[in-house]
Structures are given as structure tokens and as C-alpha cells.
Amino acid sequence: MKTLYIDCSLSGISGDMMLGALIDIGADVDEIEKTLTALPIEPFSLKVESVVKKGITAQQFTVVETEKRATDHRHYTTIQKMIVEAEKLSQRVKDMSLQIFEPIAKAEAKIHGTTLERVHFHEVGAVDSIVDIVGTALALEQLEIERIIASPVAVGSGTITIDHGTYPVPAPATLEILKGIPIEATSVRGELTTPTGAGILKGLVQEFGPLPNIVVEKIGYGAGKKELEDRPNVLRVVCGHQSP
């Protein structure tokens, strides 16, 4: 069984780190971009560059908007309809994308005291987050991943400033998404795991724990945008075959 292990115990996980790591093990970014540009969102291009984070070479994935951003805010139902009606997405990609978006929507609805039908996303509704989520689903399909396992997740500490003001890390919605998922304690100040990263873990990971018995075939690193003082800001993924 082709298995992916997500090692997010050191520096957490975000959507761009996840896609960077999947590209590092062979996902085709040109094909991902070609498919994603068919979605009814603001024009963009994808940029991938090799960077070094504390001695580790990793792929840094960036969504470059080619026009001034129209909106950071989209209702969950709008995004859901966009994905369901996208002709270029396979059913598996649609299912995985919605499995990521749904726990984010449920968390936002609970935090803000509203319903799934009325909840709207802030940063997660922006074009870069939509690309990160649907792009991750496309990459997993390309790589023919059958099972996903992950480590406990580092979330960071301290505070973060978002649309609603200053909040503790992890932010309320992120922590709500991570209910039932083991969290790794860390002294790093700042946000390590984003809502998108948490949604990927909640929606797609079947099991949490140490690296499983696996024949390792590929190892990839996706770079985060921040520079951390005491560790490389990277997400590591390990791909290989696990015995049935």
C-alpha cells in the first residue's frame, strides 16, 4: 500500500508547506497549475523555488496573484459549489478537497456561532488557500497515495494577530479543527500550524503516531515562509510502501 507519512512534529504544517513537500517527491506543479486555473477564482501563477532552511534544502511553494486581490472572504457554500461543479477535477480530488474544507468550516461555524450554510472564510477563502487545498488533493492523486499517516503536530505558542484582533496560538479555529489530534509541545513563539494545515490533517490523515513500518522510497521537504531561530522551518514527508 502506497503510504505517505507527514512529519509535522518539528515546525508544524501549512498548505504551502504541504504542497512544497509533495512537489519535492514528484508531484507535477505544471499539471497542478493547469488544472487549478480552470477554477473560477482570481488569476494567479504558481512559483516553486529551492531554498535552504537551517541546512535543509526544501521546496518553497508560492501562489502569485497576477491581479489585485478581489476578496479574502468566501462563504463555505460558494467554495463547495465551485469544487463540486469543477469539470477538470476528478471525483477523488473533489472528495479530498471537501474533506479538508469541511472541518475548517465546522470549526469556524462553531467559533462564530453560525451554521455551515452561513459561515464565511477569511484567509482560508482567499485564492492562495483554495489553491493550497485543491492543489494538495491534486498532488496526492498524482502520486497515487493510498494511505496517509502523520506525527503529532507542533502548533507554536504565544499570540497571533488576525482579522478579529490578537488571539492565542493556536488560534481558536485551528485548535477546534485539531480536536482529537495529538499536539506536540514546543517553545517556538508564533503560529506553526495554520487552519489550512490543520484541515489537511483532520480531513485526510487516517492515523497519528510515529513513522510506521515502511519501505522508504522518497523523502520531501516543503519550506515555510518564516525563519525560525532553533530549527528548520520545513515539513517533511516520507513516501513508500507499507505492508498490508
Side-chain angles (χ1 to χ4, degrees):
M1 178 181 291
K2 195 167 186 182
T3 298
L4 184 77
Y5 182 73
I6 304 173
D7 186 356
C8 46
S9 62
L10 186 67
S11 300
I13 180 173
S14 63
D16 58 335
M17 292 168 78
M18 183 68 177
L19 252 177
L22 294 176
I23 290 166
D24 203 27
I25 60 171
D28 188 333
V29 68
D30 292 329
E31 282 299 313
I32 291 171
E33 182 173 9
K34 182 179 177 181
T35 303
L36 289 175
T37 50
L39 295 176
I41 54 179
E42 297 86 346
F44 66 90
S45 62
L46 303 184
K47 178 182 177 182
V48 180
E49 58 182 335
S50 182
V51 299
V52 177
K53 295 283 186 177
K54 290 285 192 295
I56 294 181
T57 302
Q59 299 305 305
Q60 189 160 77
F61 175 85
T62 307
V63 179
V64 181
E65 295 184 55
T66 55
E67 292 182 7
K68 183 177 175 60
R69 177 175 291 181
T71 181
D72 284 342
H73 304 260
R74 284 184 173 89
H75 282 83
Y76 170 62
T77 51
T78 301
I79 294 174
Q80 185 182 45
K81 184 173 184 289
M82 177 198 308
I83 292 170
V84 169
E85 295 181 353
E87 294 182 358
K88 287 197 173 184
L89 301 182
S90 71
Q91 189 58 50
R92 185 178 182 222
V93 168
K94 291 178 183 181
D95 290 344
M96 285 192 288
S97 299
L98 293 175
Q99 284 169 218
I100 298 169
F101 270 114
E102 185 175 338
I104 301 173
K106 286 181 176 178
E108 293 282 358
K110 180 175 180 181
I111 295 298
H112 297 299
T114 187
T115 64
L116 277 181
E117 291 73 28
R118 298 183 64 184
V119 72
H120 68 275
F121 296 128
H122 293 278
E123 290 86 355
V124 181
V127 60
D128 52 351
S129 293
I130 294 171
V131 167
D132 287 348
I133 290 172
V134 182
T136 291
L138 286 165
L140 290 169
E141 182 181 59
Q142 281 185 8
L143 296 167
E144 300 179 332
I145 301 299
E146 299 171 89
R147 183 170 179 78
I148 303 176
I149 300 172
S151 70
V153 56
V155 293
S157 64
T159 61
I160 184 174
T161 301
I162 57 178
D163 280 359
H164 298 290
T166 301
Y167 278 69
V169 173
T174 302
L175 189 58
E176 183 68 29
I177 298 165
L178 292 173
K179 281 169 62 175
I181 293 174
I183 291 174
E184 191 82 6
T186 174
S187 61
V188 174
R189 305 289 289 181
E191 182 182 56
L192 294 180
T193 293
T194 65
T196 299
I200 290 169
L201 296 177
K202 189 74 168 185
L204 302 183
V205 174
Q206 290 101 338
E207 179 185 334
F208 291 89
L211 186 68
N213 294 330
I214 189 174
V215 178
V216 177
E217 296 171 353
K218 294 181 180 179
I219 304 163
Y221 295 91
K225 299 297 193 295
K226 299 175 184 176
E227 294 295 336
L228 303 178
E229 289 185 8
D230 65 343
R231 67 194 65 201
N233 187 16
V234 299
L235 173 72
R236 180 170 67 176
V237 297
V238 180
C239 184
H241 279 84
Q242 190 178 21
S243 300

